[in-house]
């Protein structure tokens, strides 16, 4: 399976995701990191994903071939991440047939009910567990 990690800004969440996914699922599946900008890509490079790319076209192209897309909830919202995520990127991710595992951050004007008591590390661990469960079953969910 192709697991696409998408991040912007400094790439810190993406780096953590790549690190944890690599530890959980090993080299059995392709972990690809796509930075919305060069700084995010550089941040995720430190986690040594199998493949890495940067920018709008990379997001659009790879969203089509991913089986799972993981990132903060802002990756499906046009102009989020202080305008870094373009409408075309959000559209490509939203329309991708991939399963989306979204980390609920209360930023970008998006609020998610029911996660107020969770810390970011706990949410990332839960997201990684979701991806592992999907790859273990090797099935897509709705």
């Amino acid at each position: 399976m192709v697991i696409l990690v998408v991040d912007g800004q400094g790439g810190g969440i993406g780096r953590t995701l790549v690190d944890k996914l690599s530890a959980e699922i090993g080299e059995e599946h392709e972990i690809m990191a796509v930075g919305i900008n060069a700084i995010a890509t550089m941040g995720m490079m430190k986690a040594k994903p199998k493949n890495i790319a940067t920018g709008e076209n990379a997001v659009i192209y790879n969203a089509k071939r991913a089986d799972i897309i993981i990132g903060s909830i802002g990756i499906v919202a046009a102009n989020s991440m202080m305008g870094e995520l373009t409408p075309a990127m959000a559209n490509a991710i939203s329309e991708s047939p991939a399963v989306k595992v979204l980390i609920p951050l209360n930023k970008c004007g998006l609020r998610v009910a029911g996660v107020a008591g969770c810390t970011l590390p706990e949410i990332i661990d839960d997201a990684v567990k979701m991806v592992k469960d999907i790859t273990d079953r090797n099935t897509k969910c709705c």
Side-chain angles (χ1 to χ4, degrees):
M1 297 182 97
V2 176
I3 302 161
L4 180 62
V5 178
V6 179
D7 199 7
Q9 311 245 286
I13 291 173
R15 178 183 179 178
T16 302
L17 286 169
V18 172
D19 274 336
K20 288 181 179 265
L21 287 168
S22 296
E24 285 291 323
I25 63 174
E27 296 184 22
E28 189 176 333
H29 302 281
E30 177 184 349
I31 299 172
M32 176 170 205
V34 175
I36 294 169
N37 61 60
I39 294 172
T41 303
M42 287 173 36
M44 290 190 287
M45 283 176 89
K46 295 173 184 170
K48 298 183 175 101
K50 183 170 184 178
N51 292 303
I52 195 154
T54 303
E56 182 177 75
N57 194 63
V59 170
I60 293 167
Y61 175 79
N62 289 294
K64 294 175 191 169
R65 66 183 208 88
D67 296 298
I68 301 170
I69 300 173
I70 184 168
S72 73
I73 195 166
I75 65 174
V76 294
N79 300 310
S80 64
M81 298 185 191
M82 298 181 66
E84 289 181 0
L85 195 113
T86 68
M89 290 176 180
N91 190 53
I93 293 167
S94 297
E95 289 187 350
S96 170
V99 174
K100 287 91 174 168
V101 177
L102 303 174
I103 295 169
L105 297 178
N106 287 330
K107 294 183 178 180
C108 307
L110 303 170
R111 299 289 183 261
V112 180
V115 295
C118 298
T119 66
L120 182 57
E122 291 170 332
I123 293 169
I124 288 174
D125 288 344
D126 188 43
V128 169
K129 182 182 179 306
M130 285 181 189
V131 171
K132 182 160 178 25
D133 289 347
I134 293 166
T135 59
D136 286 350
R137 288 190 315 256
N138 202 19
T139 59
K140 292 186 177 183
C141 54
C142 45

